[in-house]
Structures are given as structure tokens and as C-alpha cells.
Amino acid sequence: MQMIQENLQHIKEQLPKHVTLVAVSKFHPKERLMEAYNAGQRIFGESHEREMTDKYESLPDDIKWHFIGHLQTNKVKYIAPYVAMIEAVDSIRLLREIEKQAARHNRVIPVLLELHIAQEATKYGLTLDDCRALLSDGEWRTMSHVSIQGLMMMASFTNNQEQIRREFLTALSFFDEVKRDYFAGDDNFCIRSWGMSDDFLIAVECGSTMVRVGTSIFGQREY
Ligand SMILES: *Cc1c(COP(=O)(O)O)cnc(C)c1O
């Protein structure tokens, strides 16, 4: 009990006020989430649709659920009624499906576009050119039930701090480009979601406004 509360407090002390903390609770049982909830945490990140829905159904209503994993289009319908943000949109197909399901529920779902900047071939996300193409195509402008509010990315899994920093700075300058070219008049487009347990301090130095932290709050996950 004490530990999650202390971990949260320790992380928050290191975060500037303008940075939002998403507590990544995937693979952790509900009791652990409730400890974080009781310590005041309200935003939780999950990466599996079933697990998130199960937790949503049994935990307090005022939790904001962020879907942070790779989302298959056929799973959107299960989370559309309640999800607070879908952080990892990596295709126009997925965006279309979110639009369709959000409309069915009379909702506007906030989303982030996920960039692929890291070296690993395994990471999902749009290359910068894919992202430019998605935005310049303009179909997204016709979607009244999705609100594109920023960008999300994961740095490479490496100990090389300079590489991590470079990747975050690439994301930051790309954010500025996209903001200028497509969202200049849109105050909602303001979220830069980068930084996890091992690199959130570097991320904050590189303009992050939202960090997704799991292990440093809840401890190691048991898969
Ligand atoms: C699991 C996960 C995190 C949290 O990672 P930690 O290293 O445990 O902090 C953040 N973002 C995404 C997309 C994840 O899948």
C-alpha cells in the first residue's frame, strides 16, 4: 500500500506541473490500481482491450482510461463507449473505425497519432512521412467524432541516453511542424506523449507533456 503511494509521490515531485502522469497499470491486478487511485491517481493506461474493459467495469467511474497499446480495428467497438483517450493511432483505417464507433455512442474520442521513430523494427507507429501523408490527405478533417490532440511515441529500448534524447527531440520538432501545418488554430492539439519509467526525465526535458509510467509505480509486471 505504502509503496505505490510513495512511488507516485516521488514521480510527481519530479514532474513539472504541466506534465500529465498516466499510470500504466497493464498486467497489474485491480487491488494495485485501487492503491494508486486512493493515492489520488485518476488516469490509467492499459494496452489490452479485454483487460482494460474488465478493469473499467469494476473500478470507480471517475477513472480516465487511456488505451496505449496497438489497437486492432475489430476491438475498437468494445472500448468506444468509455475510453478517455486512444494514444496509439497508427493508421487511417483505425482512425476511421474510431470515428464510426464514437459516432454510434454519440461521443468525440480524443486520440494521439503514434510515431515510429525508434530503431527497432518491432515498434508500431507511423513514420514521419506516413504521418505527413495521413494529415495532408485531409480525410481526418471530415471526422467529427475523433479529436486529434497530439502525438505519442516510444524511444528505442537502449541504454544510450543520447540516442533516446535524439529520438525525443525528433518527435518534438515534428510536433512543431505538424502544429504549424495542420493545427495552428487548434488549442486541443497540444499533447506530446513520450517518456516511460526509464526515460521520463529525459522526455520532459525534450518537451513531453504526458508521461506513461508503469514499472516505477507498480513494480515489475508478471506476464
Ligand atoms: C508498458 C508501456 C509503458 C510503461 O512502461 P514502463 O517501462 O513500465 O514505465 C509506456 N508506454 C507504453 C506504450 C507501454 O506499452
Side-chain angles (χ1 to χ4, degrees):
M1 172 73 94
Q2 203 61 8
M3 215 163 67
I4 286 179
Q5 192 176 334
E6 279 167 12
N7 292 345
L8 273 169
Q9 192 179 337
H10 180 65
I11 292 163
K12 284 203 193 134
E13 280 164 3
Q14 300 175 81
L15 292 178
K17 283 272 177 297
H18 68 273
V19 177
T20 302
L21 174 61
V22 178
V24 176
S25 47
K26 62 190 184 198
F27 295 99
H28 292 290
K30 292 167 198 164
E31 299 72 42
R32 307 278 286 165
L33 277 71
M34 276 312 293
E35 290 177 33
Y37 180 89
N38 289 331
Q41 182 65 29
R42 291 295 180 272
I43 306 179
F44 291 85
E46 291 281 338
S47 56
H48 295 278
E49 152 282 314
R50 279 250 187 104
E51 180 181 354
M52 183 166 85
T53 300
D54 176 53
K55 287 171 173 171
Y56 158 74
E57 283 170 354
S58 50
L59 292 173
D61 286 347
D62 61 342
I63 291 178
K64 293 190 163 75
W65 296 98
H66 283 212
F67 196 84
I68 64 170
H70 178 68
L71 183 57
Q72 291 172 280
T73 49
N74 62 347
K75 301 290 166 59
V76 175
K77 58 178 175 288
Y78 301 115
I79 67 171
Y82 70 88
V83 68
M85 178 173 279
I86 297 177
E87 290 209 22
V89 172
D90 59 2
S91 71
I92 188 71
R93 273 186 65 233
L94 178 57
L95 202 59
R96 278 182 201 131
E97 182 64 16
I98 297 168
E99 166 66 18
K100 180 175 147 193
Q101 298 299 332
R104 283 184 53 211
H105 295 281
N106 256 310
R107 300 189 65 211
V108 177
I109 297 182
V111 305
L112 305 178
L113 300 177
E114 181 183 13
L115 302 178
H116 176 106
I117 290 173
Q119 299 295 319
E120 291 102 294
T122 54
K123 296 233 155 99
Y124 290 104
L126 299 155
T127 65
L128 303 189
D129 277 338
D130 289 342
C131 189
R132 288 185 185 104
L134 185 154
L135 290 167
S136 75
D137 166 70
E139 182 182 344
W140 62 276
R141 293 186 195 275
T142 68
M143 299 179 179
S144 52
H145 300 87
V146 293
S147 167
I148 301 177
Q149 302 196 341
L151 304 176
M152 178 271 207
M153 57 82 76
M154 270 190 273
S156 293
F157 184 70
T158 170
N159 289 322
N160 184 338
Q161 310 263 304
E162 280 319 304
Q163 183 181 344
I164 292 171
R165 186 180 303 274
R166 253 193 327 273
E167 292 175 1
F168 287 150
L169 290 174
T170 299
L172 178 60
S173 78
F174 187 73
F175 178 94
D176 291 341
E177 173 191 323
V178 162
K179 177 80 183 169
R180 182 195 65 212
D181 291 350
Y182 298 100
F183 297 96
D186 181 355
D187 292 340
N188 289 322
F189 188 89
C190 64
I191 299 177
R192 297 181 288 266
S193 178
W194 44 85
M196 316 187 352
S197 289
D198 290 336
D199 57 21
F200 73 84
L201 289 176
I202 305 175
V204 167
E205 287 172 15
C206 300
S208 170
T209 65
M210 181 172 278
V211 294
R212 308 175 309 269
V213 178
T215 308
S216 294
I217 298 172
F218 297 104
Q220 292 294 333
R221 290 177 283 274
E222 284 173 37
Y223 292 98

